[in-house]
Amino acid sequence: MSHALIVIDVQNDFCPGGALAVAEGDAIVPGINGLMAEADAVVLTQDWHPAGHSSFASRHPGAEPFSLTEMPYGPQVLWPDHCIQGSAGAGFHPDLAVDAGQMVVRKGFRPAIDSYSAFFENDHKTPTGLEGYLRSREITELTMVGLATDFCVQYSALDAARLGFATAVRLDLCRAIDLDGSLAAARDAMRAAGVILSEG
Ligand code: VGL
Ligand code: ZN
């Protein structure tokens, strides 16, 4: 039984000063680094959008950032431009121990579809390849940490549980965007899906 630490989107744009800053997003970095040595595998995910990505409000005339739109694959929050491929904002937080990462999964690179989850894009069908990587390494247990609790962490944890991985989320090593109660809803949904939530 092997265990992977999945570090979700600990990138400059999600930290204070970034384009889609999550409050205290940088505060979790030391704790995440401290967990890496305990894991059999360390996977980092990186939100990685082309300029003009369809999830950016700037691509939707008249739409405000953080408003909701309908995409062919379902409802989609429109975001400020963020994590543009190759930009400083898309880089990992400078204090994150990226050298301990064994695999980096990039997501959100298709212009017409967003990808919150580390496993599937927002159509819930298009795979990122992470499932195959974990299965071929015989990893059955996952601990998730990172940004943001109510979007990419939640979507990743729900997919992981649905795929049959024993999944835990360290809420103390995550931070949330929290749009209209989305943090409380995310906690409830993860718990209902059998994800183990802990504070340390
Ligand atoms: C995320 C919004 C847009 C996240 C990524 O990492 O939670 N949220 N892109
Ligand atoms: Zn994004």
Side-chain angles (χ1 to χ4, degrees), residues 47 49 82 114:
D47 211 37
H49 300 305
H82 66 279
D114 206 0

Side-chain angles (χ1 to χ4, degrees), residues 9 14 20 47 49 79 82 107 114 116 147-148 151-152 177:
D9 297 4
F14 297 122
L20 179 37
D47 211 37
H49 300 305
W79 303 106
H82 66 279
K107 60 185 183 61
D114 206 0
Y116 295 151
L147 306 170
F151 288 92
C152 291
I177 295 172

Side-chain angles (χ1 to χ4, degrees), residues 27-151:
I28 61 178
V29 171
I32 292 173
N33 290 344
L35 276 190
M36 289 180 176
E38 294 171 19
D40 300 307
V42 177
V43 175
L44 311 176
T45 73
Q46 196 169 23
D47 211 37
W48 195 250
H49 300 305
H53 190 258
S54 57
S55 74
F56 296 168
S58 60
R59 276 301 294 255
H60 301 257
E64 291 294 325
F66 306 103
S67 65
L68 205 58
T69 192
E70 233 6 88
M71 296 289 208
Y73 54 83
Q76 168 74 47
V77 178
L78 294 175
W79 303 106
D81 291 21
H82 66 279
C83 294
I84 293 175
Q85 296 171 0
S87 68
F92 291 110
H93 186 283
D95 297 334
L96 186 69
V98 291
D99 291 352
Q102 298 166 349
M103 174 73 168
V104 177
V105 178
R106 287 175 169 166
K107 60 185 183 61
F109 49 76
R110 290 188 176 82
I113 182 166
D114 206 0
S115 185
Y116 295 151
S117 166
F119 292 96
F120 297 99
E121 300 193 357
N122 284 9
D123 61 359
H124 302 291
K125 285 199 214 51
T126 308
T128 62
L130 179 58
E131 179 189 4
Y133 175 79
L134 295 173
R135 294 216 196 278
S136 64
R137 290 198 54 185
E138 300 186 338
I139 288 162
T140 54
E141 292 182 1
L142 308 180
T143 298
M144 301 203 173
V145 295
L147 306 170
T149 322
D150 40 348
F151 288 92

